Every structure is written in structure tokens, then in C-alpha cells.
Amino acid sequence: MDTRASIPVTLPRPNPTISYWQDPPDAQIADYLSSPTVPEIADIVIIGSGITGAGIAWNLLNGDDENSKEQRNREGEKKREKIVMLEARQACSGATGRNGGHTKAASYRTFLANSSISHATAVKIARLEYATIKAVHAFAATHDIDCDSWTGDTVDVIYDKGQWEASLKGIEALQAAFKGEHDEETVGRYHVWSAEEAREKWFVDGKDVVGAVSYEAGSLSAYKFVVGVLKLCLKMGLELYTNTAATKLERGADGLWRVETSRGVVKARRVVLATNGYTAFLHAGFQGSIVPLRGQITAHRPGLKMPSSGLPGTYSFIYGNGYEYMIPRPQGSKYAGDIVIGGGLVKADEEGLHEFGETDDTGLNPTISKYLTGTTPRYFGSAWGNDNAEGRVRKEWTGVMGYSSDGFPFVGRVPGEENEGLWVCASFQGHGMVLCWLCGRAAVEMIRGKEEKLDWFPDVFRVSEERMGKRFEGRLNTKVGEVDGSL
């Protein structure tokens, strides 16, 4: 693993596989340029246009949440900060625009591991994950962002007795921590299903199923969500430069950061790296501490026996050393009923070792392709039926995520006097849809010096020299833990 973690991180590759969500790309935003060249000076430069970068831009631009109103009232007609966003490829072409569309926390599967740090840490992380789900879907509704937002129950179908026992222990510990009517109906609500009940309720093939667990989650097109946020930000003054790679970052004697791009040089007192798995390309201090991991996803046309009204929720399928995640496309969306399923990492050679350190999302791993193609009839059995006449797989693509040695994101100012004004919000462990939005909000509170408003934020997510110095050694959150059941 050390060899893979040591591979120099590159810029995002040109001509990546086209994800299901980006076909077609948004006509207004995909290749947006605020001007032919970047400005000479800005107050803040955000590098990255995924959900993290978009969320940071929104909060910096004083959106209509409580903090923003406070800022506007205080500053009155004061001139807005000049905020520039840079994106190496098309807008939202990184992990956010290439994910599985799942807003799912599965907090019970990491609660025991997080409790080994402290009980308070585990509680804060679980609350943050649940709150992020609610905040993302609420934002889409409030701002009329058409992103196929769906909320309901998800189910984890478990095929391994050890994982089943670990799951029950995790649920018990989490529910003991979240007492009270509100918590018991929200972050602490879990329902346990027997194998037979799972087969009947969730249409899965009962063979080898040990049991199942359901709880609140959601799905959406993260690409369309971010496109919607970026459009709001542009109206508020954001300058967006797509297909404009940041190629070098250095701090000058004047205290300003000099960002070299393919469209000129922009200077700023503050720079925010919302670059996830690509972060080490711009800051060598993250080489080996944020490691890229290429993931793979397929979109399947539904089998002919799948319920015409759609499946009852979203899914994960958990076995001895790995898992897959799956969302059915909701009614009313494009290709309603399609099944988006990703994972299969441990089915590749050496349990996916060679996908670590990989930033090439222009191609596919054929072993994972073959495995993912066969997942739907395997998991649904006779309930799947014959394949659609046009073929089972509608689309297949890859994307690059970012992983840390301890399984937590990096949020905050990069340590060291030489890094004054440099901030990072990255490394979301393939779990970004339940972390990025509120981590971005926290990053802005830090930038604004409002630490008193961050009592809800887990300290283990903050950047430190100690964390940056730890090299990536294992596959935390990529396969199922053998002891605590963590994903």
C-alpha cells in the first residue's frame, strides 16, 4: 500500500468517462467562463467545483441562511468579496458528478469505532451525517433545484453472520446514545428485518441473506444539485472558470497566494482547496495523507420483473469483506426505475489494491465491470426477471475519491506559518454526500473566525500537522470491518 500511496498525484485527466449524471452536461454551467482570463486579484480563490466547493462558495457569498443574514445586516451595502472558483475540467466533473447519488450515512456501522476515540466524537459525527442529509435535501427544496431529490428508507442487506452480529451491536450502541422522542424518530431510528422479511419487503433473493437493517436516507443527482447551487452563486457574484486547471500554488513575499492556471495567474490572500483526491497535486504536504482511490459505478436498466412502481428504497449489500451500494431512480426522473450500483472494489485483483493512487478516470477496471454487471440478477434473483431488450447496462463510469489514514476528512487551515491563508476541505472517504455540505459550512465559519459557532463540529475532522504526517496504510471505509462492522 505504501507504494500506491506514494504515487505522485496528478491533475484530473482530460476526457474522462462520461457519468450517467453528466449525460448531457448542463448547457449553461458545464463550460462556463466568467471571462477569457482569470482576474489578477481576488479575495478568495476556491479550487474545485464539486459539492464542497459549491457549498463553500454559497456560504461565503452570504446565502439566505441565518449566518448570511447576520453578515448582510452587519455589512449593509459593503462591497462583496471577490470570490473566484477554478475547475480543471467541466463544472462538477470530479467525484460529486461521478458518484452513486446516495445520501446515506450508515452511522451505526462506524459508531463503535468512532466511540473508541470518544463517545462525544461518535455522537457528533452521527449527528453531522444525519444533519447533512436533511440539509442537502432541504436546500434543494427551498431553492427549487431540480435534482431528482428523494427521501425515504434505505436497507442494508447483510450476507455475513459476523457482520450481522457487529451491525446489531452498532445499532444497540447508537440507539443507547440517542434517546428521546426526536432522536429515536430520526438519527436513532433503525428497523431490523429477518431474512424472510427482507425477501418479502425488499424483493431480494433470500439465499444467503442473514438479515437486513433499514433507516432514513435519500438519493439525488448530486451533479444537478451542484449545478443548481453554482447557478445561485453566479447570480450572487461568484466568478467561475471551468476548464481552467490550477497548476501551481505558492505564497509570495507580499503574503498573497499566487495561483497559476491555464488562463493566467490570480493572486489572493486566501485559497481554499476543495480538491478531494487531487489535493496533493497542489500541496505536497498531503502526498500520502490524502490518497486517491478510483471507484466504479454502473447504471442498469431494470429487469422485466422489477416492480413497475419502483423499488421501496435504496440499498447496500454487505458481505464478508466488501459491499455494493445501489439506488433506484425515482419515479418522474429521467430513466425512472434504472438501478445505479457501485462498489465491487474488493473483487478486483489484490482486493482492489491497484485502484489506490489511481487518478485515471478515463477508463474502467474490466474485472470490476464484469462483477458489477452481474450484481442485479444475483441480488434480486427471480424478482429481477429477464433483462431489458436494450441490454442490462445503460452506462458505466469511474471517479476519483480521496482517503485519509484515519478515515476522516481534512477541514480547516493548513498548519504552518508558511501556509497562512491556505485552507482545505477534502478527503471524504467516498462518504461525501453526508459530509461535504456541512463540512463546507464549517470551513467558512473557520475562515470567518467564528469558532464559537462550531461546537457541533467533530474535532477529529480538523487539519493538524500530526494528521498530515500520518501515511495511508489501510482500506478504512472501503470494505467492511471485521470487528466493529464499520464501512
Side-chain angles (χ1 to χ4, degrees):
M1 181 60 74
D2 187 61
T3 300
R4 301 300 304 176
S6 299
I7 297 172
V9 175
T10 71
L11 278 170
R13 306 290 184 95
N15 304 311
T17 54
I18 299 172
S19 88
Y20 184 81
W21 316 106
Q22 297 166 306
D23 189 11
D26 185 85
Q28 177 188 347
I29 292 293
D31 298 300
Y32 192 94
L33 284 173
S34 291
S35 63
T37 59
V38 296
E40 292 183 2
I41 193 79
D43 293 296
I44 300 176
V45 172
I46 301 168
I47 303 175
S49 67
I51 189 170
T52 304
I56 288 170
W58 170 261
N59 283 282
L60 286 171
L61 287 162
N62 306 320
D64 59 7
D65 58 16
E66 183 179 345
N67 292 343
S68 303
K69 290 176 182 177
E70 205 174 277
Q71 183 81 1
R72 282 201 302 270
N73 291 338
R74 185 168 63 250
E75 296 188 355
E77 297 302 318
K78 183 180 176 182
K79 184 180 178 182
R80 288 189 186 276
E81 289 178 308
K82 187 179 187 69
I83 299 174
V84 169
M85 179 179 285
L86 305 175
E87 173 56 58
R89 302 187 298 204
Q90 289 186 323
C92 195
S93 59
T96 304
R98 317 181 74 77
N99 66 21
H102 221 169
T103 51
K104 173 172 179 167
S107 301
Y108 76 102
R109 301 200 65 80
T110 54
F111 192 81
L112 287 171
N114 293 338
S115 294
S116 69
I117 301 169
S118 77
H119 180 75
T121 293
V123 169
K124 282 187 176 183
I125 292 173
R127 284 202 186 281
L128 183 151
E129 291 172 335
Y130 181 81
T132 300
I133 295 171
K134 303 300 284 187
V136 166
H137 289 278
F139 190 95
T142 299
H143 296 278
D144 296 320
I145 298 176
D146 180 12
C147 58
D148 307 325
S149 173
W150 175 91
T151 57
D153 273 12
T154 189
V155 65
D156 295 344
V157 184
I158 300 172
Y159 297 84
D160 178 84
K161 288 184 179 180
Q163 297 311 320
W164 177 245
E165 292 171 2
S167 296
L168 296 179
K169 289 178 182 177
I171 292 169
E172 181 181 13
L174 187 145
Q175 290 184 325
F178 291 97
K179 292 293 187 181
E181 183 177 353
H182 177 73
D183 281 345
E184 290 174 4
E185 292 179 355
T186 54
V187 64
R189 180 177 68 80
Y190 288 88
H191 185 88
V192 175
W193 305 81
S194 69
E196 180 61 24
E197 289 171 333
R199 187 183 68 81
E200 293 180 3
K201 166 68 177 178
W202 301 96
F203 299 94
V204 293
D205 185 356
K207 183 181 178 182
D208 298 327
V209 172
V210 180
V213 178
S214 63
Y215 48 97
E216 185 177 353
S219 68
L220 79 172
S221 166
Y223 175 74
K224 290 171 71 175
F225 175 79
V226 169
V227 163
V229 177
L230 291 176
K231 287 178 179 179
L232 293 171
C233 289
L234 288 171
K235 291 178 181 178
M236 298 168 67
L238 175 70
E239 293 190 23
L240 173 62
Y241 295 85
T242 63
N243 303 300
T244 305
T247 55
K248 188 176 181 180
L249 180 65
E250 61 182 1
R251 190 165 181 252
D254 57 1
L256 298 179
W257 286 93
R258 186 176 187 273
V259 187
E260 294 185 12
T261 83
S262 53
R263 297 184 193 276
V265 175
V266 56
K267 290 184 177 181
R269 191 162 299 280
R270 288 173 289 187
V271 172
V272 185
L273 302 176
T275 40
N276 208 26
Y278 298 101
T279 302
F281 174 80
L282 287 170
H283 194 291
F286 289 102
Q287 180 68 49
S289 59
I290 299 180
V291 174
L293 170 61
R294 184 175 68 174
Q296 198 154 317
I297 304 178
T298 55
H300 295 193
R301 298 178 179 89
L304 299 185
K305 285 190 177 181
M306 286 278 95
S308 58
S309 58
L311 290 165
T314 66
Y315 293 66
S316 290
F317 303 98
I318 300 170
Y319 40 91
N321 66 337
Y323 65 97
E324 277 78 61
Y325 52 90
M326 188 204 89
I327 70 160
R329 297 284 285 133
Q331 297 298 307
S333 64
K334 182 181 179 181
Y335 302 134
D338 271 13
I339 289 174
V340 178
I341 186 164
L345 176 70
V346 299
K347 302 300 181 179
D349 293 345
E350 298 184 66
E351 294 194 331
L353 174 66
H354 298 284
E355 299 303 301
F356 288 90
E358 182 58 80
T359 57
D360 184 3
D361 56 4
T362 67
L364 305 167
N365 181 310
T367 303
I368 297 177
S369 292
K370 182 178 179 180
Y371 174 78
L372 288 178
T373 297
T375 51
T376 40
R378 181 166 61 252
Y379 285 133
F380 291 106
S382 60
W384 179 257
N386 292 327
D387 285 334
N388 186 291
E390 294 184 56
R392 184 181 301 165
V393 177
R394 187 187 300 276
K395 201 82 171 176
E396 186 171 15
W397 65 99
T398 51
V400 175
M401 303 168 282
Y403 282 77
S404 62
S405 63
D406 57 13
F408 299 128
F410 285 94
V411 182
R413 191 176 79 77
V414 180
E417 184 178 347
E418 72 280 9
N419 292 315
E420 182 68 33
L422 181 61
W423 301 79
V424 65
C425 193
S427 191
F428 291 103
Q429 326 298 312
H431 204 50
M433 292 309 297
V434 297
L435 292 173
C436 293
W437 190 249
L438 291 189
C439 283
R441 182 181 297 177
V444 172
E445 299 286 26
M446 294 176 195
I447 291 169
R448 298 298 192 211
K450 298 180 180 178
E451 288 287 340
E452 73 279 2
K453 295 189 175 184
L454 290 174
D455 57 341
W456 54 272
F457 190 70
D459 286 339
V460 293
F461 288 10
R462 292 176 180 268
V463 190
S464 68
E465 289 184 8
E466 180 183 4
R467 291 189 66 211
M468 288 180 65
K470 290 181 179 178
R471 301 300 90 179
F472 183 83
E473 296 178 351
R475 297 173 168 88
L476 291 177
N477 299 337
T478 62
K479 66 178 183 180
V480 181
E482 296 178 356
V483 178
D484 61 22
S486 63
L487 286 179

